[in-house]
């Protein structure tokens, strides 16, 4: 009886909601169309003294139309702006606000993104150990919340921090966890990612020319989705060929890189 009653309530709620006018969300962030131009303008002003008034305008409009995602994004902009201005006090204040709003709105990807922003802040200011502690806390929270996206993002973040700190075995463990999460989740956001960069970085944690490294490179190529993915594969293959004194292979992969349109656009003046 209780189940039939609950079903009736849900059907009634659906009918009521269908009768309400729906506000358009014809933009990439799927927020109210009245909020989208304000978001884009505020985003373009990050790190300037004009950013906060425009973000506040976005927040006011988001509250007016009841768009909780837009409200969450407004707080993310405040967090990013504090990061750009290297204002630690504001950074920590907006970090807490983003996480509270993300939990309220259900857009938990921003809960974990907030961790990344403050982690990068401390890393860029030479507090690497503090950044690693933040990434570990982020990972622990994701596991506690059983959130695959959070586990994926925190594993990637932690792996890259270890990788850049030359902690190869720890980085390897985290990269392998990234791959395991990818292989065992149905989360569409994770599944849309390319594993090439993960396998590419994982390859650097093994000895040059080792069987494990070569397997990683093959896997990296297997998951290529974008031009930048193929460039990473060609680059590490060129390094392997150079170390192995295989000049013909080295020249082949080097030429692939030199002739890549992506490289010529990014580094037109580079050697």
């Amino acid at each position: 009886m209780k189940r039939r009653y609950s079903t009736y309530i849900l059907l009634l709620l659906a009918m009521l909601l269908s009768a309400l006018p729906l506000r358009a969300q014809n933009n990439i962030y799927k927020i109210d169309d009245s909020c989208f131009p304000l978001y884009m303008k505020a985003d373009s002003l990050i790190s300037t003294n004009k950013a906060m008034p425009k973000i506040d305008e976005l927040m006011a409009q988001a509250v007016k139309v009841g768009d909780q995602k837009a409200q969450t994004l407004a707080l993310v902009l405040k967090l990013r702006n504090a990061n750009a201005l290297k204002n630690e006090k504001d950074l920590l204040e907006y970090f807490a606000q983003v996480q509270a709003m993300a939990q309220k709105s259900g857009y938990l990807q921003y809960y974990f993104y907030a961790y990344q922003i403050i982690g990068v802040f401390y890393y860029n200011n030479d507090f690497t150990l503090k950044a690693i502690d933040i990434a570990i806390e982020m990972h622990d929270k994701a596991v506690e919340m059983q959130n695959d996206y959070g586990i994926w993002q925190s594993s990637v973040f932690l792996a890259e921090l270890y990788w850049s700190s030359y902690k190869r075995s720890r980085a390897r463990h985290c990269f392998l966890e990234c791959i395991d999460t990818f292989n065992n989740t149905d989360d569409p956001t994770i599944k849309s990612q390319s594993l090439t960069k993960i396998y590419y970085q994982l390859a650097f944690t093994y000895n040059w020319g080792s069987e494990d490294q070569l397997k990683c490179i093959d896997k990296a190529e297997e998951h290529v989705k974008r031009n930048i993915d193929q460039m990473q594969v060609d680059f590490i293959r060129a390094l392997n060929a150079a170390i192995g004194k295989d000049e013909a292979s080295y020249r082949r992969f080097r030429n692939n890189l030199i002739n890549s349109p992506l490289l010529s656009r990014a580094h037109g003046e580079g050697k």
Side-chain angles (χ1 to χ4, degrees):
M1 188 70 180
K2 184 182 290 186
R3 183 173 180 179
R4 291 177 62 186
Y5 179 74
S6 299
T7 302
Y8 172 77
I9 292 295
L10 290 172
L11 286 171
L12 181 60
L13 179 60
M15 291 170 63
L16 289 171
L17 289 175
S18 66
L20 295 174
L22 297 177
R23 299 188 69 90
Q25 295 179 328
N26 304 308
N27 55 77
I28 58 174
Y29 291 104
K30 301 300 181 184
I31 58 177
D32 191 274
D33 282 345
S34 67
C35 296
F36 180 67
L38 296 173
Y39 173 86
M40 296 302 291
K41 183 62 177 178
D43 182 61
S44 72
L45 295 172
I46 291 296
S47 80
T48 73
N49 58 8
K50 295 181 180 180
M52 287 301 289
K54 186 58 66 174
I55 296 172
D56 287 337
E57 185 180 347
L58 166 62
M59 178 61 83
Q61 180 62 20
V63 170
K64 179 181 177 181
V65 298
D67 190 330
Q68 290 195 334
K69 186 174 186 181
Q71 292 173 49
T72 307
L73 287 172
L75 291 173
V76 169
L77 287 175
K78 289 189 176 185
L79 181 62
R80 287 177 48 210
N81 192 56
N83 177 52
L85 296 175
K86 298 183 178 182
N87 187 326
E88 185 179 16
K89 180 178 177 295
D90 285 351
L91 186 84
L92 295 176
E93 178 183 341
Y94 295 135
F95 167 72
Q97 290 183 21
V98 169
Q99 290 203 313
M101 188 66 209
Q103 287 184 300
K104 177 183 176 182
S105 66
Y107 293 101
L108 292 177
Q109 64 267 41
Y110 301 111
Y111 178 93
F112 297 108
Y113 180 51
Y115 270 121
Q116 286 184 279
I117 291 179
I118 66 167
V120 169
F121 171 84
Y122 286 114
Y123 180 80
N124 287 342
N125 286 281
D126 297 323
F127 293 99
T128 303
L129 292 179
K130 189 172 181 67
I132 290 173
D133 285 342
I134 288 168
I136 291 172
E137 180 182 329
M138 175 185 175
H139 185 268
D140 290 345
K141 283 289 186 182
V143 172
E144 178 186 323
M145 296 162 71
Q146 298 182 332
N147 186 291
D148 281 354
Y149 179 81
I151 293 171
W152 160 268
Q153 283 294 93
S154 59
S155 296
V156 172
F157 186 37
L158 194 53
E160 291 184 338
L161 288 172
Y162 283 138
W163 191 67
S164 64
S165 302
Y166 305 102
K167 300 180 186 297
R168 294 202 309 172
S169 61
R170 293 184 182 182
R172 183 185 305 145
H173 172 79
C174 294
F175 284 130
L176 290 171
E177 184 177 46
C178 296
I179 295 165
D180 183 66
T181 301
F182 182 93
N183 290 334
N184 292 285
T185 187
D186 295 322
D187 188 303
T189 304
I190 297 174
K191 286 298 190 183
S192 68
Q193 305 297 313
S194 168
L195 280 182
T196 293
K197 185 180 180 182
I198 302 298
Y199 276 112
Y200 168 80
Q201 292 176 303
L202 177 60
F204 278 96
T205 70
Y206 292 107
N207 293 329
W208 285 99
S210 67
E211 183 178 352
D212 286 329
Q213 186 183 66
L214 295 176
K215 285 180 180 178
C216 286
I217 298 171
D218 288 342
K219 281 289 188 180
E221 187 148 35
E222 181 183 318
H223 289 275
V224 164
K225 288 186 177 181
R226 308 161 299 176
N227 287 340
I228 187 64
D229 295 338
Q230 189 60 56
M231 288 180 66
Q232 289 175 330
V233 172
D234 288 341
F235 177 70
I236 197 168
R237 287 201 189 281
L239 288 176
N240 251 305
I243 290 170
K245 298 182 180 179
D246 181 351
E247 186 174 350
S249 295
Y250 164 73
R251 289 185 179 277
R252 176 159 56 90
F253 294 120
R254 182 202 65 178
N255 289 340
N256 287 348
L257 290 165
I258 291 173
N259 294 325
S260 169
L262 188 61
L263 186 68
S264 63
R265 288 200 303 271
H267 301 289
E269 302 300 320
K271 292 184 180 180

